Amino acid sequence: MKSRLLACSGAVGALALFYGSSASAGTCETAAIQASAPADTTITSATPTAAPVPHCRIEGYVTTTNPGPNKVNFRLQLPDTGWQNRYYFIGMGGAAGYVPSDSQIPAGNPLVQGFAVAGTDTGHTGHILDWSFLADPAQARDHIDRGAHVTAVATQQITRLYYGVQSFYRYTSGCSGGGRMTTEAIERHPEDYDGVLLGAPGGRSSATMLAFINAAQQMAREPGSWVSPAKFAMLDAKVTAACDEIDGARDDIIQDHTKCLFDFDTVACLDGDKPDCLTQPELKSIKAIVAGPRSPAGQIKVGFPISNMTVWAGFMGQVPPPWSDAPTVENMARSSPGYVIGSSLAKVLFGPDFDVMTMDFNDQATVDRWWEATKKLDFGWPYSADLAPYRAAGGKVLMWNGVSDPCCIDTEMEQYYVDAATSVDGMDNLRQFASFYRIPGMGHCGSGTGPGDAPDVLMTELINWVENGEAPGAVVAHRGIDRQQLLFADPATRMVSGVLVPPPTGTSRDFMLCPYPEVAVFDRTKAGIPDAVYDAANWTCQAPPRT
């Protein structure tokens, strides 16, 4: 039997690997690695490295052409011992722009679980929220899909020859920009991976950027229109209290935001601004963002979900406008990240002097120009959802999305999944190789009040599906350091590296995650038992009620 991941008991539910590979490692020297690399690949160093486990750390680049030339830098980490016949490619959030050592989602270094690990800067160096490089045709092509593909080809060949094997299991995982990378992989290069964990892939298109621009305009529309993090937290509490029990359980979680019909006029300030109400300018902003951006042709993108509204502040900013759109780490703390992201892409599409605050959504010609430029660039055009080639290649994909993600909204991921079913002649065929999970309480790739290890446990399910043929069903995820099962945690410290997303808040509990279209249902006979809602044993996955 091939290697597989099994959950074991322990303080943090650590995961252990069994049935290790007997393949012996090759020579960790630059010349030896160069000899095993494709012709377009240059190895700049191969260094024996001790941490986090003894491995060969290989640095290099692939030279791409037509358009080009361009350098796609990469890093490949090959464990000295205990290799599990597994390869892991790191999906990069945002605009990438640096060569990673650690996985982003799930966090940590897969080396500690016996994986070979590869990652790339996708062909450029820059800030993770700066898309200005897309003005360069070669760098744009590499970031969109070519850079990850050529890196996968090169590093998989090196891995195969380094260990002297014919084949091994190939995985990739990412969220947001990393989810975009994994989506492009299964659609454009279906032969690259056996298993793909695909999280919140930037919505269906660059309409996500238009939603950020619309939100920034609303927040800067007039004096007092900006909504503070404290006001978002106040709204979060009120909306959660109103809609918590829609799913039949009072557990401070809104399982499905689409069923929560909250009247924001009920929290309007009646006699001046106060902490527990919204002024008229604030109320107008909230309603506009919930409605989503529109043009004369209709809806551009669905509005932000109203569950876990505290996470909105992560895109709206911690301070009121005026803001700078400089895509730097320092500016993120004193600006609106959503504004920065939207402005960066808009300047690629419309020119470096374009001001998104003046973009007129009521002018259909302007919106049409956005889509014309997007299609010409081939970045941000709606994903095809054609998974027939990936199905033919024999791959498996697990898709997931936070229910409370204001960026990459779960209903868009659902629609992608439904559209993918059409590409393979029906949902029954799709379920043979693809599954989709909503993550309650989770914001963008994490945070919120949902589980802290959903990507980790889903990655475990994916590996089991690929290597043992066991399709995933109900999955239990967890919140709290005493329950979380972090796949790539350091065995000695139980900590993970490469953490980009804040952990969720709240006391320790379980979450029942269900494959689409099933939903988690609480056993109401246990309602009188303290903390029963926090125990997965009291939840089951069932077909959704017919409405």
Side-chain angles (χ1 to χ4, degrees):
M1 183 177 69
K2 292 291 185 179
S3 54
R4 104 177 243 199
L5 292 174
L6 298 174
C8 67
S9 60
V12 295
L15 296 178
L17 286 165
F18 300 92
Y19 311 114
S21 169
S22 60
S24 58
T27 303
C28 187
E29 295 178 353
T30 304
I33 302 300
Q34 183 66 71
S36 67
D40 59 1
T41 302
T42 300
I43 304 302
T44 57
S45 66
T47 309
T49 305
V53 298
H55 69 281
C56 183
R57 180 184 175 111
I58 300 164
E59 309 280 351
Y61 61 88
V62 180
T63 301
T64 56
T65 57
N66 193 31
N70 188 43
K71 287 184 177 181
V72 179
N73 298 298
F74 68 82
R75 179 172 299 131
L76 175 62
Q77 303 165 86
L78 300 173
D80 293 352
T81 61
W83 182 52
Q84 300 295 311
N85 287 320
R86 295 186 181 126
Y87 164 98
Y88 182 95
F89 190 95
I90 302 168
M92 294 290 285
Y98 69 93
V99 180
S101 296
D102 302 313
S103 170
Q104 293 183 347
I105 307 291
N109 194 317
L111 274 172
V112 302
Q113 290 285 15
F115 288 75
V117 183
T120 178
D121 62 3
T122 72
H124 71 279
T125 300
H127 189 270
I128 196 171
L129 296 182
D130 183 1
W131 273 265
S132 62
F133 67 89
L134 290 172
D136 181 302
Q139 292 185 359
R141 185 72 265 151
D142 284 330
H143 178 72
I144 292 166
D145 71 295
R146 185 175 66 178
H149 170 62
V150 298
T151 297
V153 170
T155 55
Q156 287 175 18
Q157 176 172 313
I158 294 169
T159 301
R160 184 170 61 253
L161 296 176
Y162 188 79
Y163 291 113
V165 298
Q166 292 297 312
S167 63
F168 46 86
Y169 296 116
R170 304 163 304 158
Y171 299 98
T172 185
S173 173
C175 184
S176 192
R180 184 202 64 80
M181 287 177 66
T182 56
T183 305
E184 298 286 18
I186 59 177
E187 290 191 358
R188 301 186 194 234
H189 306 283
E191 72 282 3
D192 282 357
Y193 304 106
D194 304 303
V196 171
L197 186 63
L198 194 166
R204 286 300 300 271
S205 66
S206 64
T208 296
M209 299 294 196
L210 294 175
F212 287 151
I213 293 169
N214 172 66
Q217 289 182 353
Q218 297 301 327
M219 289 284 158
R221 184 188 64 254
E222 61 182 300
S225 62
W226 180 73
V227 181
S228 70
K231 287 289 182 84
F232 281 127
M234 177 271 295
L235 284 175
D236 190 340
K238 290 183 180 295
V239 172
T240 300
C243 296
D244 184 0
E245 289 191 271
I246 289 176
D247 60 1
R250 177 167 289 279
D251 61 348
D252 298 320
I253 293 288
I254 298 173
Q255 294 274 355
D256 185 350
H257 63 87
T258 66
K259 293 183 171 59
C260 179
L261 305 177
F262 186 82
D263 183 0
F264 288 100
D265 285 328
T266 62
V267 293
C269 295
L270 301 179
D271 54 357
D273 189 9
K274 294 180 180 179
D276 62 347
C277 63
L278 294 176
T279 65
Q280 285 303 309
E282 292 170 339
L283 187 61
K284 186 176 180 180
S285 297
I286 292 294
K287 289 181 176 180
I289 296 171
V290 169
R294 298 184 64 87
S295 74
Q299 188 87 35
I300 296 173
K301 180 181 167 77
V302 295
F304 286 13
I306 63 173
S307 56
N308 291 88
M309 291 182 71
T310 298
V311 303
W312 285 28
F315 292 100
M316 299 299 98
Q318 302 298 311
V319 296
W323 300 309
S324 164
D325 65 354
T328 65
V329 173
E330 296 77 16
N331 189 47
M332 289 301 102
R334 55 177 181 262
S335 186
S336 160
Y339 165 60
V340 172
I341 296 169
S343 179
S344 179
L345 182 60
K347 289 183 176 181
V348 173
L349 300 180
F350 289 164
D353 297 325
F354 185 76
D355 180 3
V356 295
M357 289 303 193
T358 66
M359 185 172 181
D360 185 1
F361 287 95
N362 292 316
D363 178 18
Q364 188 62 44
T366 298
V367 178
D368 290 343
R369 279 181 57 215
W370 175 282
W371 289 116
E372 290 165 4
T374 295
K375 189 172 186 179
K376 182 179 180 181
L377 180 62
D378 196 26
F379 179 82
W381 191 251
Y383 303 121
S384 71
D386 181 4
L387 299 189
Y390 190 64
R391 178 196 183 197
K396 301 289 191 293
V397 56
L398 277 186
M399 307 175 195
W400 61 274
N401 213 112
V403 167
S404 303
D405 189 342
C407 161
C408 315
I409 299 170
D410 63 327
T411 54
E412 293 179 305
M413 187 82 259
E414 176 187 353
Q415 189 60 53
Y416 180 89
Y417 188 72
V418 171
D419 291 347
T422 302
S423 76
V424 294
D425 300 321
M427 189 62 71
D428 288 342
N429 288 334
L430 181 67
R431 291 194 183 107
Q432 297 302 310
F433 72 99
S435 194
F436 168 51
Y437 290 80
R438 281 196 175 92
I439 315 300
M442 179 183 282
H444 185 50
C445 300
S447 72
T449 55
D453 64 359
D456 304 74
V457 297
L458 290 176
M459 188 72 198
T460 303
E461 293 293 323
L462 175 66
I463 292 170
N464 190 34
W465 197 9
V466 168
E467 299 181 16
N468 299 296
E470 298 177 9
V475 178
V476 179
H478 317 83
R479 187 177 69 199
I481 59 173
D482 58 327
R483 298 197 189 193
Q484 289 181 159
Q485 298 178 1
L486 301 178
L487 179 57
F488 301 138
D490 186 304
T493 65
R494 299 175 180 170
M495 302 295 289
V496 290
S497 53
V499 177
L500 298 181
V501 181
T505 59
T507 58
S508 297
R509 63 162 293 180
D510 297 341
F511 291 85
M512 180 65 74
L513 309 182
C514 301
Y516 177 87
E518 295 181 352
V519 296
V521 177
F522 177 63
D523 181 355
R524 295 287 292 174
T525 66
K526 305 294 180 62
I529 303 174
D531 297 333
V533 292
Y534 301 147
D535 188 341
N538 299 319
W539 293 78
T540 56
C541 290
Q542 300 179 17
R546 304 187 71 171
T547 60

